[in-house]
């Protein structure tokens, strides 16, 4: 019997290539399926978009650990590509962080992001962000790494938001310590210029992730530019959510006005196929007693 490759090993293999990974972020099982269908090899469950999709609320720490984990499990069940889960602040002290990491690993995530914001956390490109002290930030990552090393088959994506409150140097120092503690991927949130992006990439070891929020604080560079600077993952957390919301609002406005909207809709056949009806019925042919009609 061929041993199944774990989600974490799939992500390790992607990182081992050294190539830049363009990572559209999902918010539910369907958006993750579409990402995989379009040939992307990695996705991230955006906390911003998941909160909007699941509870209709902003990403201000309102979703509980259980809700986030359930959303992650639905997503990993729907796709075969590796998924990075958003573990926020770890939902408590160091012991909570260990439980969070273990839970995301059991849910099938390839990696989990743990950050140094003060709870309740904030979206990285909105106001009101604060970070915890260095000791607590380091304990969170140490606990996450300990959970991984104790047997959780998952990578640790360590995030710092210190740039906003304390400046780039503090953010770099924190991220460097995260790497020393054993984090697999580093994420310095919201650098404001290309020069800052170059500085942090030159100063930090290992794979780095850029977070590209259209209209946000970080320069919206091309994948080629990001790779040249030194990033290995380019995350696009809001692109699909923003596109979906725009299409839905415009469709609703046309419906309200009593106007045709067929040119804005996916073809019925393609819609069924992408959701999985065709694959379901093809598989159903193997089981004669389950057929209907």
């Amino acid at each position: 019997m061929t041993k199944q490759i774990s989600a974490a090993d799939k992500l390790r293999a992607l990182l081992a290539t050294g190539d830049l990974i363009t990572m559209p972020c999902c918010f539910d099982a369907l958006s993750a399926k579409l990402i995989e269908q379009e040939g992307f090899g990695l996705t991230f469950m955006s906390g911003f978009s998941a909160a909007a999709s699941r509870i209709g609320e902003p990403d201000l720490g309102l979703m509980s650990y259980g809700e986030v984990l359930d959303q992650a499990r639905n997503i990993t069940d729907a796709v075969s590509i590796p998924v990075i889960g958003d573990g926020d602040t770890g939902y408590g002290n160091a012991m909570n962080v260990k439980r969070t990491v273990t839970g995301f690993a059991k849910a099938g995530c390839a990696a989990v992001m743990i950050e140094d914001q003060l709870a309740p956390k904030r979206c990285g490109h909105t106001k009101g962000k604060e970070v915890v002290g260095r000791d607590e930030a380091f304990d969170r990552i140490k606990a996450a790494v300990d959970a991984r090393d104790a047997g959780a088959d998952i990578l640790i994506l360590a995030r710092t938001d210190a740039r906003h409150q304390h400046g780039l140097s503090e953010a770099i120092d924190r991220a460097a310590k995260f790497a020393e503690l054993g984090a697999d991927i580093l994420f310095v949130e919201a650098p404001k210029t290309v020069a800052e992006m170059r500085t942090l990439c030159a100063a930090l070891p290992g794979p780095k992730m850029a977070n590209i929020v259209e209209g946000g604080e970080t320069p919206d560079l091309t994948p080629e530019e990001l790779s040249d600077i030194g990033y290995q993952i380019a995350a696009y957390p809001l692109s699909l959510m923003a596109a979906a919301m725009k299409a839905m609002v415009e469709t609703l406005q046309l419906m309200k006005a009593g106007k045709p909207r067929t040119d804005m809709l996916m073809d019925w056949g393609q819609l069924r196929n992408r959701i999985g009806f065709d694959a379901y019925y093809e598989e159903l042919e193997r089981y004669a007693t389950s057929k209907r009609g």
Side-chain angles (χ1 to χ4, degrees):
M1 181 181 294
T2 303
K3 182 180 179 181
Q4 186 174 1
I5 301 174
S6 71
D9 282 342
K10 289 179 181 179
L11 178 53
R12 292 185 184 102
L14 284 174
L15 294 172
T17 67
D19 297 332
L20 181 100
I21 305 164
T22 298
M23 184 176 71
C25 297
C26 63
F27 47 88
D28 61 9
L30 180 58
S31 57
K33 284 184 74 167
L34 295 176
I35 289 167
E36 181 173 31
Q37 288 171 2
E38 289 304 306
F40 291 94
L42 178 65
T43 189
F44 180 102
M45 188 189 77
S46 162
F48 185 111
S49 298
S53 173
R54 184 180 176 103
I55 63 173
E57 296 288 350
D59 183 25
L60 297 173
L62 298 173
M63 279 178 68
S64 69
Y65 166 68
E67 289 173 311
V68 173
L69 193 66
D70 181 64
Q71 195 80 348
R73 189 179 294 111
N74 289 340
I75 290 168
T76 59
D77 283 348
V79 297
S80 61
I81 60 174
V83 177
I84 301 177
D86 188 350
D88 289 335
T89 62
Y91 302 97
N93 65 15
M95 297 304 293
N96 292 94
V97 172
K98 293 181 75 171
R99 181 171 183 261
T100 295
V101 171
T102 301
F104 274 84
K106 289 179 178 179
C109 289
V112 58
M113 184 175 75
I114 300 294
E115 62 192 64
D116 63 356
Q117 279 198 47
L118 184 69
K121 59 78 56 78
R122 300 286 188 265
C123 166
H125 291 252
T126 58
K127 63 182 181 179
K129 285 196 309 177
E130 295 183 58
V131 294
V132 297
R134 281 188 169 200
D135 289 345
E136 185 173 353
F138 299 154
D139 272 352
R140 286 180 185 176
I141 302 306
K142 185 177 187 299
V145 170
D146 285 347
R148 181 200 65 197
D149 292 347
D153 188 17
I154 195 166
L155 278 68
I156 305 303
L157 169 58
R159 164 178 167 170
T160 178
D161 286 78
R163 164 65 185 88
H164 175 79
Q165 191 177 358
H166 300 293
L168 186 65
S169 294
E170 174 65 12
I172 291 174
D173 287 347
R174 289 189 179 213
K177 183 64 176 181
F178 294 165
E180 183 182 324
L181 290 170
D184 301 286
I185 306 166
L186 300 178
F187 172 24
V188 175
E189 173 65 302
K192 296 180 182 297
T193 66
V194 174
E196 287 192 1
M197 297 167 81
R198 289 191 181 279
T199 296
L200 72 89
C201 281
L204 296 172
K208 274 85 62 177
M209 187 179 90
N211 196 37
I212 307 300
V213 176
E214 295 87 351
E217 296 185 343
T218 299
D220 187 355
L221 305 179
T222 67
E224 293 76 13
E225 290 170 323
L226 292 171
S227 179
D228 178 67
I229 286 172
Y231 288 104
Q232 197 170 355
I233 301 176
Y236 296 86
L238 304 185
S239 302
L240 292 191
M241 170 62 70
M245 288 180 66
K246 184 174 187 294
M248 286 190 285
V249 168
E250 290 179 356
T251 299
L252 290 168
Q253 289 172 343
L254 287 172
M255 291 176 71
K256 190 174 183 180
K259 296 180 179 178
R261 58 199 177 275
T262 54
D263 60 330
M264 298 181 63
L265 305 182
M266 180 175 286
D267 173 80
W268 171 233
Q270 184 180 175
L271 180 73
R272 295 196 319 271
N273 183 52
R274 285 185 176 273
I275 292 172
F277 281 92
D278 294 350
Y280 174 91
Y281 288 122
E282 183 178 345
E283 179 73 7
L284 187 65
E285 289 298 318
R286 299 179 57 217
Y287 308 103
T289 59
S290 296
K291 296 176 183 178
R292 295 289 185 271

